């Protein structure tokens, strides 16, 4: 069904509540909805038309329209359609009905714009603080345009502590994270444990929230942002770089030259290769199978070298600018890349053959961390987590971008929905990535790397872009603005949705399976309030308090 | 068969042999295209400040001490070696070197300071045409930064005025 037909469907159902709509092309739909009907529209899209929930965005649009704006994004994966339901809210008292009761996946996104933009929610099921630090005062909303980017509120309380919920009766609290050996970034899970079984958990994250979106809106310029965007994630940085560039390009109807599109595709697949091999290694490391950890990383290393050769860096390729790419793929690199892919395919096939029948890994991963199709639908889970449960979605095919519409590849799915299925999906996706790169090298035309941009980028245009990152769909929402920078840029990394499912995935499981369940979504995390030191000679233990640790850290 | 798969896994390891490189005892070569620490060449620099205007990390500061002398200071503290400065430099005065072991406890080790004799019009400062219109949009005039306090001022102007760019800085014009 095309964007216009979808719009007609909405108009038929809701009549004048659909105030106006923009249809830039067949694959995007922006509908402005009356705020009072917004929830009903979203519920209709999600429940009856079976759209996939993507993200919600709030923004301070007062400089332009004098109002606040809220947007709920949905995707129709079979129709190649991304749509955004927008509603203007009054400037003096921005308040909107929460869609989280109908669309559970909107839980975090709504809490996020409530804190950062200050749009109040009616009827949110769990309106607890999510993003802002513990000591941040209520009533200061950093993403509002009148709050300077470098302001620390005067009443910021360094010593404030987060109030956690009470655990259910009969459960013991086991803190997991912020700093945990198997995780690379700080996140804190308070697990409620009964015996060895996990009964639930509370999540406290966003400890490394860096305010990149605010910087982009106030300090950086269009072509600075791609280089910051790739620092959102240390592993799939190029994805954010490309997604941002594409979001701006779709907003202003700019098309990069074909060669640039092929180069983007190649670099994204190189990144997927390195990320999947890294993840398979890490997953094996988590379950204690270090042999494969080492071998998988050994096979991965030449990919890092070729990336360094193309872009000048092992990671953070600094690939895109608006309208093109910065690095070319020279004939020498082409030859080398082909050899490398042959070797990689051969070596990886041996590993897959060995691992797929290994009972030890399967014992640790089968039936663990299950996400079934109902959970995937309700929380909008994506990427290998969804595909491992037989949900056949992949942005590369469903919302084609760069040169993916000109290459042939299969979307790998499995049926188990557990960690083992995710291992299988990722292992096999490596072969598809190799196929894609080979086809790109074959088909890549000669030509310029950057489109010429004759005019200033027009303000007030909306752009959406979805890119299939190694761990799921990365989605960027851009509104172009004045002064050569976006008015609003919202990033939704894949882990944002997938992490919300962790409490359900680990429920009623052994505590020991927590790490691999969490690791299986390929997240990032860490954190410590206390630390214990043991004197090896005397065996005396000493517990460090949080205050002592902070003193120790800040001494220098 | 699990035993067979164990044997296969062993074979994978044996075939690979030892692959560890002797780093850091011995640093391997880096490719031609490597993006390491940027090196500024004072002999080639024309002081157009294109690098300063395009640096995403805002690590290049520009200030005029008098009519003829412009200071360009590269701080390098949070430089990400993205190479945008080298991209936009019209005189190829910036090269991305192959240095990557730049960790230091003295920040001055990486700082570079260029004192440039300017013979162009100081009021417009237009010494080059930026490669793309998107970049041209940005450069309405060169920035005037606070070099002493190592701080950048992001308001760019078509020409210098005596009005303070930030509260505690005033610019003396002749």
């Amino acid at each position: 069904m095309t964007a216009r037909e979808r719009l007609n469907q909405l108009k038929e159902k809701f009549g004048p509540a659909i105030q106006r709509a923009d249809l830039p092309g067949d694959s995007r739909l922006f509908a402005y909805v009356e705020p009072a009907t917004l929830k009903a529209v979203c519920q209709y899209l999600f429940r009856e038309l079976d759209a996939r929930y993507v993200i919600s965005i709030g923004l301070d649009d007062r400089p332009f329209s004098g109002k606040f704006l809220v947007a709920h994004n949905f995707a129709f994966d079979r129709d190649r359609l991304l749509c955004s339901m927008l509603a203007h809210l009054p400037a003096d008292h921005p308040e909107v009905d929460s869609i989280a009761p109908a669309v559970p996946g909107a839980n975090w996104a709504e809490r996020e714009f409530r804190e950062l933009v200050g749009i109040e929610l009616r009827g949110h099921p769990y309106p607890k603080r999510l993003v802002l630090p513990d000591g941040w005062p209520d009533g200061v909303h950093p993403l509002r345009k009148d709050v300077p980017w470098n302001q620390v509120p005067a009443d910021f309380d360094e010593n404030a502590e987060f109030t956690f919920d009470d655990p259910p009766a009969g459960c013991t609290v086991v803190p997991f994270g912020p700093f945990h050996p198997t995780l690379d970034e700080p996140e804190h899970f308070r697990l409620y444990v009964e015996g060895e079984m996990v009964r639930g958990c509370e999540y406290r994250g966003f400890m490394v929230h860096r305010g990149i979106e605010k910087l982009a809106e106030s300090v950086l310029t269009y072509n600075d942002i791609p280089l910051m965007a790739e620092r959102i994630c240390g592993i799939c940085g190029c994805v954010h770089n490309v997604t941002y560039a594409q979001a701006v390009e779709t907003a202003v109807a700019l098309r990069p030259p074909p060669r640039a599109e092929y180069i983007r595709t190649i670099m994204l697949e190189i990144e997927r290769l390195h990320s999947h091999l890294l993840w398979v290694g890490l997953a094996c490391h988590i379950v204690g199978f270090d042999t494969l950890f080492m071998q998988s990383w050994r096979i991965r290393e030449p990919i890092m070298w070729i990336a360094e050769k193309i872009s000048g860096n092992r990671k953070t390729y600094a690939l895109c600018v608006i309208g093109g790419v910065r690095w070319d793929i020279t004939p020498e690199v082409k030859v080398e890349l082909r050899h490398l892919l042959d070797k990689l395919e051969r070596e990886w096939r041996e590993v897959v053959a060995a691992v797929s029948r290994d009972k030890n890994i399967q014992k640790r991963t089968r039936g663990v961390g299950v996400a079934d199709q109902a959970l995937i639908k309700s929380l909008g889970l994506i990427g290998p987590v969804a595909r491992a449960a037989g949900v056949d979605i992949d942005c590369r095919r469903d919302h084609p971008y760069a040169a993916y519409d000109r290459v042939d590849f299969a979307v790998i799915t499995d049926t188990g929905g557990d960690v083992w299925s995710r291992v299988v999906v990722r292992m096999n996706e490596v072969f598809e990535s190799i196929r894609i790169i080979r086809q790109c090298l074959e088909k890549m035309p000669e030509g310029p790397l950057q489109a010429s941009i004759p005019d200033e980028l027009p303000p007030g245009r909306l752009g959406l872009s979805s890119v299939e990152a190694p761990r799921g769909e990365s989605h960027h929402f851009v509104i172009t603005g004045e002064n050569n920078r976006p008015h609003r840029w919202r990033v939704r990394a894949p882990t944002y949705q997938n992490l919300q499912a962790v409490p359900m995935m680990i429920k009623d499981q052994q505590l020991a399976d927590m790490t691999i369940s969490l690791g299986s979504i390929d997240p990032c995390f860490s954190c410590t309030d206390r630390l214990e030191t043991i004197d090896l000679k005397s065996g005396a233990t000493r517990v460090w308090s949080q205050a002592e640790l902070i003193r120790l850290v800040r001494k220098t | 068969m699990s035993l067979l798969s164990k044997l296969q896994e062993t074979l994978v390891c044996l075939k690979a042999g030892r692959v560890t490189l002797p780093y850091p005892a011995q640093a391997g070569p880096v490719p031609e295209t490597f993006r390491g620490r940027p090196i500024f060449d004072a002999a080639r620099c024309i002081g157009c400040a294109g690098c300063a205007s395009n640096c995403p990390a805002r690590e290049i500061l520009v200030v005029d001490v008098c009519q003829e002398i412009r200071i360009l200071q590269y701080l390098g503290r949070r430089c990400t070696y993205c190479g945008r400065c080298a991209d936009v430099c019209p005189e190829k005065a910036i090269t991305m070197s192959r240095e990557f072991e730049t960790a230091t406890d003295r920040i001055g080790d990486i700082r570079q300071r260029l004192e440039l004799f300017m013979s162009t019009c100081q009021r417009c400062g237009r010494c080059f045409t930026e490669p793309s219109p998107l970049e041209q949009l940005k450069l309405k005039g060169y920035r005037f930064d606070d070099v002493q306090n190592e701080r950048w001022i992001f308001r760019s102007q078509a020409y210098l005025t005596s009005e303070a760019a930030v509260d505690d800085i005033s610019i003396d014009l002749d």
Side-chain angles (χ1 to χ4, degrees):
Chain A
M1 212 179 267
T2 63
R4 182 155 296 282
E5 286 164 338
R6 285 287 175 206
L7 177 63
N8 290 339
Q9 214 171 9
L10 285 176
K11 276 186 175 160
E12 227 163 77
K13 173 93 180 168
F14 294 100
I18 310 291
Q19 291 164 333
R20 73 187 168 88
D22 293 339
L23 292 156
D26 284 340
S27 57
R28 300 286 186 273
L29 165 63
F30 299 98
Y32 289 83
V33 182
E34 196 190 37
T37 349
L38 186 62
K39 186 186 171 187
V41 172
C42 292
Q43 187 163 354
Y44 175 68
L45 281 171
F46 184 71
R47 292 281 170 212
E48 287 171 50
L49 303 184
D50 201 28
R52 177 168 60 82
Y53 172 73
V54 181
I55 192 62
S56 302
I57 301 123
L59 82 129
D60 179 0
D61 202 35
R62 286 175 297 174
F64 276 142
S65 62
K67 289 178 172 179
F68 284 88
L69 193 65
V70 62
H72 297 292
N73 291 5
F74 291 86
F76 289 96
D77 293 314
R78 290 289 160 268
D79 304 337
R80 298 188 166 188
L81 176 63
L82 292 172
C83 49
S84 192
M85 299 296 128
L86 302 110
H88 281 290
L89 308 172
D92 49 344
H93 186 60
E95 195 177 31
V96 71
D97 285 325
S98 165
I99 65 162
V103 187
N107 189 319
W108 277 19
E110 288 195 323
R111 282 156 74 187
E112 182 174 325
F113 71 62
R114 173 170 167 263
E115 287 165 32
L116 297 184
V117 191
I119 296 173
E120 279 307 315
L121 295 166
R122 272 187 300 259
H124 191 284
Y126 189 68
K128 199 170 172 175
R129 177 167 289 200
L130 180 74
V131 180
L132 292 176
D134 306 341
W136 193 275
D138 289 328
V140 181
H141 305 292
L143 273 185
R144 286 198 175 183
K145 294 288 178 191
D146 46 9
V147 178
W149 65 279
N150 51 0
Q151 184 195 58
V152 178
D155 45 351
F156 186 86
D157 181 5
E158 275 283 343
N159 300 315
E161 282 189 26
F162 192 72
T163 340
F164 287 101
D165 297 346
D166 290 328
C171 286
T172 313
V173 169
V174 175
F176 183 86
F179 294 104
H180 191 276
T182 55
L183 304 165
D184 16 81
E185 285 167 42
E187 320 255 313
H188 179 64
F189 284 87
R190 252 166 82 91
L191 303 174
Y192 306 140
V193 177
E194 193 181 0
E196 277 294 304
M197 306 302 275
V198 179
R199 297 296 180 214
C201 80
E202 185 179 356
Y203 173 81
R204 175 76 177 138
F206 294 87
M207 291 164 189
V208 283
H209 186 82
R210 291 158 290 177
I212 285 184
E213 291 172 3
K214 180 72 182 179
L215 267 187
E217 290 169 22
S218 51
V219 178
L220 302 175
T221 55
Y222 278 123
N223 267 344
D224 292 338
I225 297 171
L227 303 160
M228 289 294 141
E230 69 181 0
R231 284 170 172 78
I232 289 170
C233 178
I235 301 175
C236 55
C238 186
V239 165
H240 289 288
N241 179 295
V242 174
T243 323
Y244 163 77
Q246 286 182 169
V248 175
E249 284 158 12
T250 50
V252 299
L254 176 76
R255 188 146 180 227
R259 189 175 176 85
E261 291 187 326
Y262 276 96
I263 291 175
R264 282 180 184 178
T265 313
I266 291 172
M267 291 313 281
L268 287 172
E269 291 307 317
I270 284 180
E271 190 169 69
R272 189 182 323 278
L273 283 177
H274 109 76
S275 175
H276 277 5
L277 295 180
L278 172 133
W279 180 82
V280 170
L282 276 185
C284 290
H285 177 61
I286 291 173
V287 298
F289 183 26
D290 275 3
T291 310
L292 187 56
F293 168 47
M294 291 295 166
Q295 292 309 321
S296 168
W297 282 44
R298 170 181 65 77
I299 294 171
R300 164 179 176 264
E301 191 59 21
I303 302 172
M304 311 305 283
W305 293 339
I306 195 85
E308 190 178 46
K309 200 157 209 177
I310 297 170
S311 70
N313 213 335
R314 290 163 61 88
K315 274 303 307 162
T316 52
Y317 307 146
L319 181 69
C320 288
V321 285
I322 307 297
V325 294
R326 296 171 63 200
W327 320 119
D328 198 5
I329 292 188
T330 58
E332 302 89 75
V333 170
K334 241 177 168 174
V335 173
E336 206 181 320
L337 188 52
R338 281 210 176 96
H339 284 303
L340 187 148
L341 291 176
D342 293 343
K343 183 158 174 271
L344 176 76
E345 191 176 24
R346 202 170 53 241
E347 290 189 315
W348 191 242
R349 223 173 262 294
E350 285 170 16
V351 168
V352 172
V355 170
S356 49
R357 285 191 303 274
D358 191 319
K359 290 274 184 314
N360 299 42
I361 303 182
Q362 298 195 25
K363 278 249 156 63
R364 281 300 308 274
T365 54
R366 269 195 199 272
V368 170
V370 177
D372 58 15
Q373 297 205 354
L375 182 66
I376 287 164
K377 163 75 183 162
S378 78
L379 291 183
L381 307 188
I382 44 210
V385 178
R387 289 195 288 276
V391 179
D392 187 9
I393 50 171
D394 189 324
C395 290
R396 292 177 289 173
R397 180 199 59 201
D398 300 335
H399 307 283
Y401 51 92
Y404 284 104
D405 51 349
R406 281 152 275 173
V407 291
D408 172 45
F409 62 97
V411 175
I412 309 286
T413 55
D414 203 37
T415 47
D418 55 5
V419 177
W420 173 248
S421 296
R422 283 166 217 156
V423 175
V424 171
V425 165
R426 286 197 173 98
M427 285 200 303
N428 289 323
E429 279 184 1
V430 167
F431 298 118
E432 294 305 316
S433 292
I434 295 174
R435 270 182 68 197
I436 293 174
I437 300 179
R438 282 199 183 124
Q439 293 176 53
C440 285
L441 290 177
E442 203 64 50
K443 293 181 182 170
M444 186 162 64
E446 295 297 320
L449 296 180
Q450 289 179 20
S452 78
I453 302 167
D455 302 310
E456 193 165 333
L457 300 187
R461 303 280 181 84
L462 280 70
L464 301 177
S465 176
S466 279
V467 165
E468 189 71 19
R471 36 192 73 49
E473 173 206 43
S474 160
H475 180 87
H476 287 208
F477 173 94
V478 166
I479 300 184
T480 58
E482 283 157 348
N483 297 326
N484 200 22
R485 62 174 62 102
H487 174 49
R488 177 82 165 97
W489 170 45
R490 173 68 159 95
V491 179
R492 201 235 32 203
T495 306
Y496 196 85
Q497 290 306 119
N498 285 346
L499 203 53
Q500 296 183 50
V502 166
M504 273 65 89
M505 280 156 58
I506 60 171
K507 197 167 183 295
D508 299 326
Q509 283 195 0
Q510 299 270 345
L511 179 58
D513 289 335
M514 168 69 189
T515 45
I516 185 62
S517 301
L518 191 55
S520 72
I521 66 164
D522 205 355
C524 302
F525 294 151
S526 87
C527 162
T528 327
D529 289 352
R530 291 154 74 244
L531 165 79
E532 192 174 69
T533 52
I534 302 176
D535 187 331
L536 285 177
K537 282 182 195 141
S538 65
T541 62
R542 172 169 177 241
V543 175
W544 294 65
S545 70
Q546 182 183 11
E548 282 176 311
L549 279 174
I550 290 177
R551 258 205 310 283
L552 190 72
V553 173
R554 300 214 172 127
K555 201 166 61 185
T556 48
Chain B
M1 258 306 286
S2 200
L3 185 64
L4 186 68
S5 80
K6 288 290 168 212
L7 286 172
Q8 281 178 321
E9 282 157 16
T10 315
L11 199 66
V12 167
C13 298
L14 288 175
K15 255 169 84 176
R18 188 183 148 178
V19 292
T20 318
L21 300 173
Y23 190 81
Q26 197 190 324
V30 293
E32 286 282 316
T33 46
F34 188 76
R35 278 181 283 132
R37 183 165 84 99
I39 303 290
F40 290 71
D41 183 352
R44 287 185 164 188
C45 178
I46 55 168
C48 67
C51 51
S53 294
N54 281 282
C55 176
R58 307 284 190 262
E59 282 293 82
I60 304 169
L61 307 179
V62 189
V63 73
D64 290 317
V65 288
C66 64
Q67 187 71 34
E68 282 85 28
I69 297 176
R70 176 173 290 179
I71 308 286
L72 191 137
Q73 186 154 303
Y74 164 76
L75 302 173
R77 296 168 306 193
R78 45 166 199 263
C79 174
T80 60
Y81 302 167
C82 68
R84 285 288 290 161
C85 52
D87 274 6
V88 298
C89 181
E91 295 297 314
K92 303 275 171 278
I94 305 171
T95 27
M96 300 309 284
S97 70
R98 297 186 209 166
E99 283 176 53
F100 59 93
E101 291 161 314
T102 51
T104 172
D105 52 5
R106 280 187 314 171
I107 194 66
D109 291 352
I110 1 179
R111 186 179 299 151
Q112 290 172 62
R113 186 184 167 93
L114 272 57
E115 288 189 18
L116 304 162
F117 182 78
M118 302 298 291
S119 55
T120 48
C121 167
Q122 195 191 356
R123 289 182 73 84
C124 73
R126 278 177 209 279
C127 309
F128 82 117
T129 312
E130 300 81 358
S132 89
L134 198 58
E135 278 143 14
Q136 287 174 20
L137 294 177
K138 202 176 332 186
L139 200 71
K140 296 224 174 70
Y142 57 86
R143 293 206 320 259
F144 181 92
D145 292 318
D146 181 5
V147 172
Q148 273 71 37
N149 294 313
E150 293 190 349
R151 158 171 100 142
W152 51 276
I153 298 162
F154 51 92
R155 200 173 69 172
S156 76
Q157 297 163 330
Y159 49 86
L160 278 182
T161 63
S162 55
E163 156 202 348
V166 287
D167 303 340
D168 55 342
I169 293 182
S170 63
I171 301 165
D172 292 324
L173 289 182
D174 301 335

